[in-house]
Amino acid sequence: MAELPETPLLDELEKGPWPSFVTEIKQAAEHHEEARDLLGQLERSYRERIGHWKHGGIVGVLGYGGGVIGRYSDLPDDFPGVSHFHTLRVNQPAGWFYTSKALRDICDIWEEHGSGLTNMHGSTGDIVLLGTSTPELEPTFKKLTEKGFDLGGSGSDVRTPSCCVGPARCEWACYDTLGLTYDLTMSYQDELHRPMFPYKWKFKMSGCPNDCVAAIARSDLSIIGTWRDEIVKDDAEVRKYADNGLDIFNDVVLNCPAKCMKWDGEKLEIDDEYCRKCMHCINAMPKALAPGKDRGATILIGSKAPIVEGALLSSVLVPFWKPEEPYEDLKDLVEAIWDVWSEEGKNRERVGEFIQRVGMGNFLEAIGLDPEPEMVAFPRENPYVFYDLSEDEDEDE
Amino acid sequence: MADSATTEEIADAMEKQVAAAQGLKKLKPGDLVKMMIELFGEDRVDKKACKKAIKLLIETERCVYTYFGGSFIEMPHKEGAEN
């Protein structure tokens, strides 16, 4: 194996106490030509301040329209090891639970067929295998499927559904995020592997309003756990927090966005009618407070990161939904949305942008959903109620 | 009522459209569905039949999926970026 290239600029990224991707690539470069040439090309990009990747084209293995992100070097003669450097997205298990054997299997396959470099996990949630050539795609896919793995989504398809650890590890989970994620993944295999939409579609499932997978900011359909009864409160445990030095008035009550809590130094009172389910008090006193017992989820629509247009946050579509297998009510809603968006959406227009263009009222009518007061863009602000101030002023006069 | 178009008929018609557009316009799967409904009529094809035809085209390697900012269906070709 040839010596590692000189990389004075990349070496700067190894300084300091943080983990460094440069260190990882250098380790992989001891065994892989791809990783060695990756270092060389990256150093050159830093020096010249220009990217040397060409992106696009090939997108999958036979029969699939997603799961492979084609990448080529525009300096193949200088860096032949990265002349092809495709990425594979592999559908992660719901909640990212693995056995160590499964992880070893993936790494062994990638050591044999790719650069050995992985990203656990990509922002999509997938296992990301970085860097292989076109002839290695089919053999890699074959070995992955033999071990029970499948490719994830990319391009204008359903992206790999992703969720938090849910009830497997978290007592605040208001529904089975893992079960719903698995069900949606299996139900929409066709949509996941064969792009049919104007642009990408992301499902993300969070078990409670802490929203550990940031569904509200990143997914076209966010399903976020919530409850509709009262926060479960243990007064003795609240008292212990106070005795142990927690400043309940300043750190909990004053930080409540709904101002629905009172603390008299002895007892905490919560007016649950006004609770916005922000989780702040529960996070501050996890032994004393917990989400209510009548649990379900809020379905929200339309968030995205800035790509073609600016970033959007989700809006409430269904204020409270009781997730029950086989989730037919959710699937009916999703398919009605897909029908309208596929028919009327422009190329590279996310569903949130589509709703902005046609208007939420028209969108709701098209998908057959009645407007509800809880479909709010911001808590306590209702876009469907308009006050005619001039009439009130007239009456005052 | 007219007989439904077969998957093969739809796939053949799609392949012709893709071949005619090659190098001129990139067609999305949704574009092909709309074209087929216009060509055969709503009484002979629907979205489901078009999806089956696309699946057939891809699995028999008569067409391929590509990505250029969005997903498209094209005739098989050597990757331009590979050169």
Side-chain angles (χ1 to χ4, degrees), chain A residues 1-7 10 22 24-44 78-82 85 115-117:
Chain A
M1 183 64 71
E3 282 184 18
L4 295 185
E6 293 289 317
T7 54
L10 291 180
V22 174
E24 301 298 322
I25 298 174
K26 282 182 179 175
Q27 283 178 11
E30 291 171 13
H31 313 286
H32 291 278
E33 184 196 1
E34 296 95 328
R36 199 176 63 248
D37 278 353
L38 178 63
L39 281 174
Q41 177 168 308
L42 194 56
E43 177 72 16
R44 184 148 159 190
D78 295 342
F79 304 106
V82 292
F85 202 73
S115 69
L117 294 167

Side-chain angles (χ1 to χ4, degrees), chain A residues 54-59 62-65 72 84 155-156 190-191 194-199 339 342-343 347-348, chain B residues 28-30 33-34 47 50-51 54-55 58-61 65-73 79-83:
Chain A
K54 296 186 285 185
H55 169 53
I58 189 168
V59 288
L62 178 59
Y64 280 26
Y72 301 91
H84 299 194
S156 306
D190 203 34
E191 288 77 5
R194 298 182 185 85
M196 285 295 291
F197 300 134
Y199 206 17
D339 273 347
S342 296
E343 191 70 29
N347 188 27
R348 300 193 80 194
Chain B
K28 294 183 75 69
V33 172
K34 285 177 187 166
K47 283 183 187 172
C50 290
K51 280 171 91 172
I54 291 172
K55 191 175 177 194
I58 300 295
E59 288 183 349
T60 53
E61 299 184 74
Y65 284 111
T66 58
Y67 179 85
F68 293 95
S71 297
F72 299 95
I73 291 180
E79 293 287 343
E82 199 174 334
N83 297 324

Side-chain angles (χ1 to χ4, degrees), chain A residues 85-298:
Chain A
F85 202 73
H86 310 316
T87 293
L88 270 85
R89 285 195 186 137
V90 179
N91 194 327
Q92 80 284 10
W96 301 289
F97 288 99
Y98 300 91
T99 61
S100 52
K101 179 180 182 309
L103 290 171
R104 285 195 187 94
D105 286 341
I106 292 168
C107 291
D108 287 347
I109 292 167
W110 200 233
E111 285 288 333
E112 186 182 348
H113 295 284
S115 69
L117 294 167
T118 66
N119 176 4
M120 303 290 281
H121 297 80
S123 57
T124 58
D126 297 89
I127 303 162
V128 176
L129 304 181
L130 292 158
T132 195
S133 62
T134 306
E136 293 292 346
L137 290 174
E138 290 288 349
T140 308
F141 177 60
K142 183 171 181 289
K143 288 200 176 161
L144 285 169
T145 53
E146 283 168 2
K147 296 292 181 187
F149 287 96
D150 194 2
L151 296 189
S154 67
S156 306
D157 64 10
V158 168
R159 298 304 184 82
T160 317
S162 171
C163 68
C164 67
V165 294
R169 290 292 301 269
C170 180
E171 68 269 34
W172 292 337
C174 294
Y175 72 99
D176 182 0
T177 54
L178 306 134
L180 178 59
T181 300
Y182 181 75
D183 189 287
L184 291 175
T185 303
M186 299 312 284
S187 299
Y188 293 126
Q189 281 288 294
D190 203 34
E191 288 77 5
L192 209 158
H193 298 308
R194 298 182 185 85
M196 285 295 291
F197 300 134
Y199 206 17
K200 63 185 85 167
W201 172 276
K202 295 181 180 178
F203 287 110
K204 290 196 192 294
M205 277 58 75
S206 284
C208 79
N210 276 337
D211 194 8
C212 288
V213 290
I216 200 166
R218 306 192 300 157
S219 59
D220 299 277
L221 202 79
S222 325
I223 302 167
I224 301 176
T226 189
W227 65 95
R228 57 183 172 184
D229 56 350
E230 296 175 352
I231 289 174
V232 176
K233 182 159 60 84
D234 182 331
D235 288 324
E237 288 292 340
V238 173
R239 186 66 251 169
K240 276 190 197 168
Y241 274 104
D243 292 346
N244 289 333
L246 178 67
D247 184 344
I248 292 178
F249 181 71
N250 281 307
D251 294 343
V252 180
V253 173
L254 288 186
N255 284 329
C256 172
K259 305 292 177 230
C260 70
M261 310 182 89
K262 283 183 188 169
W263 169 248
D264 61 6
E266 293 294 328
K267 191 168 167 62
L268 183 72
E269 285 182 27
I270 305 172
D271 186 352
D272 286 89
E273 285 284 303
Y274 288 88
C275 173
R276 295 183 190 176
K277 316 290 191 282
C278 79
M279 296 289 290
H280 175 72
C281 59
I282 297 173
N283 292 334
M285 297 187 283
K287 289 181 182 171
L289 304 176
K293 290 177 179 167
D294 185 9
R295 297 178 175 191
T298 299

